[in-house]
Amino acid sequence: MEAEGLGWLLVPLHQLVSWGAAGAMVFGGVVPYIPQYRDIRRTQNAEGFSTYVCLVLLVANILRILFWFGRHFESPLLWQSVVMILTMLLMLKLCTEVRVANELNLKRRVFSAADNKDGEVRVPLGRSFLDFDPHHFWHWSSFADYVQCVLAFTGVAGYITYLSIDSALFVETLGFLAVLTEAMLGVPQLYRNHRHQSTEGMSIKMVLMWTSGDTFKTAYFLLNAAPLQFSVCGLLQVLVDLAILGQAYVFTRYPLKPAPHVAHPASAKAL
């Protein structure tokens, strides 16, 4: 009788917890980029954030959405990709505006110095996606060029997916590519620490945030019977995070050499 009496409370409580977990999955991945976005706007300096992070996450989440058409998975995971794509586009827009503004200020100072010296200064031309110059890939002068690139990739990948949607092998491979790309985001940090034999400039708090977020995400995948690709790559992300924490412990406790003072952004990672 007591269990039946508590049933009216447990059912809505379970539903509330499910909604909370789904909301954390949808929006949790973008949380580390909020302070990064605010810091760039405040300082008007985007040097500490690599736009290649945006490239990797855009590719990974576009592929994940295409994977959904071949094999449906939990809706929160789909909406997580949509939110992440919008967030990365906002980050790209801000970084591009700040970089172009700083380059313009530099050109003005160069022109001013040239006027004083009666010299001639050559100003580099703007870089465009339609130039198809591989040396300037993902270093364009306008946010519209990044949008064109994303739309072109989405169109090509979408067309290939449309032609191959009936192939189970293609669909499963697409899913692995999507989540494996995102899972590799921590590897550059791991490699940098190993190469320098130091973790100076890396935020331990940020790595702990990565680890807790990836652990929650992997548990969500397992409990909600998400496709195998999600669980395997989630476990890989957790292992990479633990390896980075292990490096921080070893290099701090047993320093092999004086660590060079190199600033390195530690926010280039998705939950």
Side-chain angles (χ1 to χ4, degrees), residues 225-246:
L228 180 63
Q229 292 93 329
F230 289 89
S231 300
V232 171
C233 292
L235 290 171
L236 178 60
Q237 283 183 282
V238 173
L239 291 176
V240 171
D241 296 338
L242 292 176
I244 294 175
L245 288 175

Short mmCIF file of all heavy atoms in Angstrom, two decimals, residues 225-246:
data_model
loop_
_atom_site.label_atom_id
_atom_site.label_comp_id
_atom_site.label_asym_id
_atom_site.label_seq_id
_atom_site.Cartn_x
_atom_site.Cartn_y
_atom_site.Cartn_z
N ALA A 225 20.73 2.99 -24.29
CA ALA A 225 20.92 2.06 -25.40
C ALA A 225 21.17 2.80 -26.72
O ALA A 225 20.59 2.48 -27.75
CB ALA A 225 19.72 1.13 -25.53
N ALA A 226 22.07 3.80 -26.67
CA ALA A 226 22.44 4.53 -27.88
C ALA A 226 23.24 3.59 -28.79
O ALA A 226 23.74 2.55 -28.35
CB ALA A 226 23.28 5.76 -27.52
N PRO A 227 23.33 3.90 -30.08
CA PRO A 227 24.14 3.06 -30.99
C PRO A 227 25.54 2.82 -30.44
O PRO A 227 26.10 3.66 -29.73
CB PRO A 227 24.16 3.86 -32.29
CG PRO A 227 22.88 4.64 -32.26
CD PRO A 227 22.66 5.00 -30.81
N LEU A 228 26.11 1.67 -30.78
CA LEU A 228 27.41 1.26 -30.24
C LEU A 228 28.48 2.31 -30.47
O LEU A 228 29.38 2.49 -29.62
CB LEU A 228 27.82 -0.07 -30.90
CG LEU A 228 29.17 -0.65 -30.45
CD1 LEU A 228 29.14 -0.99 -28.97
CD2 LEU A 228 29.50 -1.88 -31.29
N GLN A 229 28.41 3.02 -31.60
CA GLN A 229 29.43 4.02 -31.91
C GLN A 229 29.55 5.07 -30.80
O GLN A 229 30.65 5.48 -30.43
CB GLN A 229 29.11 4.73 -33.24
CG GLN A 229 29.22 3.85 -34.46
CD GLN A 229 27.90 3.22 -34.82
OE1 GLN A 229 27.07 2.95 -33.95
NE2 GLN A 229 27.69 2.98 -36.11
N PHE A 230 28.42 5.50 -30.27
CA PHE A 230 28.42 6.54 -29.24
C PHE A 230 29.11 6.04 -27.97
O PHE A 230 29.93 6.75 -27.37
CB PHE A 230 26.98 6.97 -28.92
CG PHE A 230 26.33 7.76 -30.02
CD1 PHE A 230 25.63 7.13 -31.03
CD2 PHE A 230 26.41 9.14 -30.03
CE1 PHE A 230 25.02 7.85 -32.03
CE2 PHE A 230 25.80 9.88 -31.04
CZ PHE A 230 25.11 9.23 -32.04
N SER A 231 28.77 4.83 -27.54
CA SER A 231 29.33 4.29 -26.30
C SER A 231 30.84 4.06 -26.42
O SER A 231 31.61 4.41 -25.52
CB SER A 231 28.63 2.98 -25.94
OG SER A 231 27.24 3.19 -25.76
N VAL A 232 31.28 3.47 -27.55
CA VAL A 232 32.70 3.18 -27.73
C VAL A 232 33.51 4.47 -27.74
O VAL A 232 34.54 4.60 -27.06
CB VAL A 232 32.93 2.39 -29.03
CG1 VAL A 232 34.42 2.28 -29.34
CG2 VAL A 232 32.32 1.00 -28.92
N CYS A 233 33.07 5.45 -28.49
CA CYS A 233 33.83 6.71 -28.59
C CYS A 233 33.71 7.53 -27.31
O CYS A 233 34.63 8.28 -26.97
CB CYS A 233 33.36 7.50 -29.80
SG CYS A 233 33.80 6.71 -31.36
N GLY A 234 32.59 7.40 -26.59
CA GLY A 234 32.48 8.05 -25.30
C GLY A 234 33.50 7.50 -24.32
O GLY A 234 34.16 8.24 -23.58
N LEU A 235 33.65 6.17 -24.30
CA LEU A 235 34.66 5.55 -23.45
C LEU A 235 36.07 5.99 -23.86
O LEU A 235 36.94 6.21 -23.00
CB LEU A 235 34.55 4.03 -23.53
CG LEU A 235 33.31 3.41 -22.86
CD1 LEU A 235 33.21 1.93 -23.20
CD2 LEU A 235 33.35 3.60 -21.35
N LEU A 236 36.30 6.15 -25.16
CA LEU A 236 37.60 6.62 -25.63
C LEU A 236 37.89 8.03 -25.13
O LEU A 236 39.01 8.34 -24.71
CB LEU A 236 37.64 6.58 -27.16
CG LEU A 236 38.92 7.09 -27.83
CD1 LEU A 236 40.12 6.26 -27.38
CD2 LEU A 236 38.79 7.03 -29.35
N GLN A 237 36.87 8.90 -25.17
CA GLN A 237 37.05 10.25 -24.66
C GLN A 237 37.41 10.25 -23.19
O GLN A 237 38.28 11.01 -22.75
CB GLN A 237 35.77 11.06 -24.89
CG GLN A 237 35.58 11.53 -26.32
CD GLN A 237 34.33 12.38 -26.46
OE1 GLN A 237 33.22 11.85 -26.49
NE2 GLN A 237 34.50 13.67 -26.53
N VAL A 238 36.74 9.41 -22.40
CA VAL A 238 37.03 9.34 -20.97
C VAL A 238 38.47 8.87 -20.75
O VAL A 238 39.19 9.41 -19.89
CB VAL A 238 36.03 8.40 -20.27
CG1 VAL A 238 36.44 8.19 -18.81
CG2 VAL A 238 34.62 8.97 -20.33
N LEU A 239 38.92 7.89 -21.52
CA LEU A 239 40.29 7.40 -21.39
C LEU A 239 41.31 8.48 -21.73
O LEU A 239 42.34 8.61 -21.06
CB LEU A 239 40.49 6.17 -22.29
CG LEU A 239 39.74 4.91 -21.87
CD1 LEU A 239 39.96 3.80 -22.90
CD2 LEU A 239 40.18 4.44 -20.49
N VAL A 240 41.03 9.27 -22.77
CA VAL A 240 41.94 10.36 -23.13
C VAL A 240 41.98 11.40 -22.01
O VAL A 240 43.06 11.89 -21.64
CB VAL A 240 41.49 11.01 -24.46
CG1 VAL A 240 42.29 12.28 -24.73
CG2 VAL A 240 41.67 10.03 -25.62
N ASP A 241 40.82 11.72 -21.44
CA ASP A 241 40.77 12.69 -20.34
C ASP A 241 41.57 12.18 -19.15
O ASP A 241 42.33 12.93 -18.52
CB ASP A 241 39.32 12.94 -19.92
CG ASP A 241 38.50 13.58 -21.02
OD1 ASP A 241 39.09 14.19 -21.91
OD2 ASP A 241 37.25 13.47 -20.97
N LEU A 242 41.41 10.90 -18.81
CA LEU A 242 42.15 10.33 -17.68
C LEU A 242 43.65 10.31 -17.96
O LEU A 242 44.46 10.53 -17.05
CB LEU A 242 41.65 8.91 -17.40
CG LEU A 242 40.21 8.80 -16.87
CD1 LEU A 242 39.81 7.34 -16.72
CD2 LEU A 242 40.07 9.53 -15.54
N ALA A 243 44.02 10.07 -19.23
CA ALA A 243 45.44 10.10 -19.59
C ALA A 243 46.02 11.50 -19.40
O ALA A 243 47.15 11.66 -18.92
CB ALA A 243 45.62 9.63 -21.03
N ILE A 244 45.25 12.52 -19.75
CA ILE A 244 45.72 13.90 -19.57
C ILE A 244 45.86 14.23 -18.09
O ILE A 244 46.83 14.86 -17.66
CB ILE A 244 44.75 14.89 -20.26
CG1 ILE A 244 44.78 14.68 -21.78
CG2 ILE A 244 45.10 16.33 -19.92
CD1 ILE A 244 43.76 15.51 -22.53
N LEU A 245 44.90 13.78 -17.28
CA LEU A 245 45.01 13.99 -15.83
C LEU A 245 46.22 13.24 -15.28
O LEU A 245 46.91 13.75 -14.38
CB LEU A 245 43.73 13.52 -15.15
CG LEU A 245 42.48 14.38 -15.34
CD1 LEU A 245 41.27 13.73 -14.70
CD2 LEU A 245 42.70 15.78 -14.75
N GLY A 246 46.48 12.04 -15.81
CA GLY A 246 47.67 11.30 -15.39
C GLY A 246 48.95 12.05 -15.74
O GLY A 246 49.91 12.07 -14.94
#
